[in-house]
Amino acid sequence: MRTSRFLIRSGLTVAAAATLPLTLASGPAAARASGISVSTTGSTASVVTSACTQSNGSWGTAALLSSGQGSFSQGRQVALSGTASSQSAAWSGVSPGTYTVVVMCSSGATAGTQSVIVSAPSIPTISATASPSRGVMGGLGGTARDYGPVTMGVGGALVGAGVIGAAWFLRSRSKPHRF
């Protein structure tokens, strides 16, 4: 009984492991079936394909269709440029919205169709703040530099001399002057 359960469990595991690569491969294959790759950056939309071959000096044409446009001829058309391994086209100044990109090769075959969403460009926020490089240290004086004992000693001597000088001046003023 234990052996048969083990064989059934291991058989199911082997079957699941065998179908996993097929399941994973079907996702990218469906994406590759369109034959084009569309991307956006700000208000620029671009398409890349390798499905077209050059005929009469032309690779083909790509069209950007808005939601109200139904045929290839109604869209913003741009000629494909590139090499035998990769052809591309780009549209600049595209308003935010949902678009369909269609690529027609010069042979008349459709390389692919794909939808793309162009979002509104974000306006960067600029803010200026000034801050000390090391910050303000707490304690007496609140300075950003730590002074040594010699500097503190000289400063203390100057303060002491000032106090003695002020006391001498005030004492001498309080005595009446005799002529």
Side-chain angles (χ1 to χ4, degrees):
M1 186 71 171
R2 285 187 173 185
T3 305
S4 63
R5 282 187 182 170
F6 175 75
L7 291 176
I8 290 173
R9 285 183 186 166
S10 63
L12 292 174
T13 304
V14 170
T19 59
L20 183 61
L22 296 174
T23 305
L24 293 176
S26 67
R32 277 185 266 141
S34 72
I36 64 173
S37 174
V38 181
S39 62
T40 62
T41 303
S43 64
T44 302
S46 61
V47 62
V48 177
T49 185
S50 59
C52 296
T53 57
Q54 192 172 24
S55 175
N56 297 329
S58 173
W59 294 102
T61 308
L64 182 69
L65 306 167
S66 64
S67 60
Q69 298 169 328
S71 67
F72 184 83
S73 62
Q74 292 176 336
R76 288 176 56 183
Q77 296 182 10
V78 176
L80 291 173
S81 62
T83 63
S85 61
S86 175
Q87 304 87 43
S88 64
W91 300 268
S92 59
V94 179
S95 301
T98 302
Y99 296 90
T100 302
V101 176
V102 180
V103 176
M104 295 288 286
C105 296
S106 58
S107 64
T110 302
T113 302
Q114 187 173 343
S115 294
V116 65
I117 297 173
V118 177
S119 59
S122 62
I123 299 172
T125 304
I126 299 172
S127 62
T129 58
S131 60
S133 61
R134 287 183 48 204
V136 177
M137 296 175 66
L140 296 174
T143 63
R145 185 171 173 195
D146 191 13
Y147 293 101
V150 173
T151 305
M152 296 302 279
V154 170
L158 287 173
V159 169
V163 168
I164 291 172
W168 176 76
F169 176 76
L170 292 174
R171 181 158 164 40
S172 65
R173 270 194 80 144
S174 67
K175 291 182 183 178
H177 291 286
R178 299 193 183 166
F179 296 176

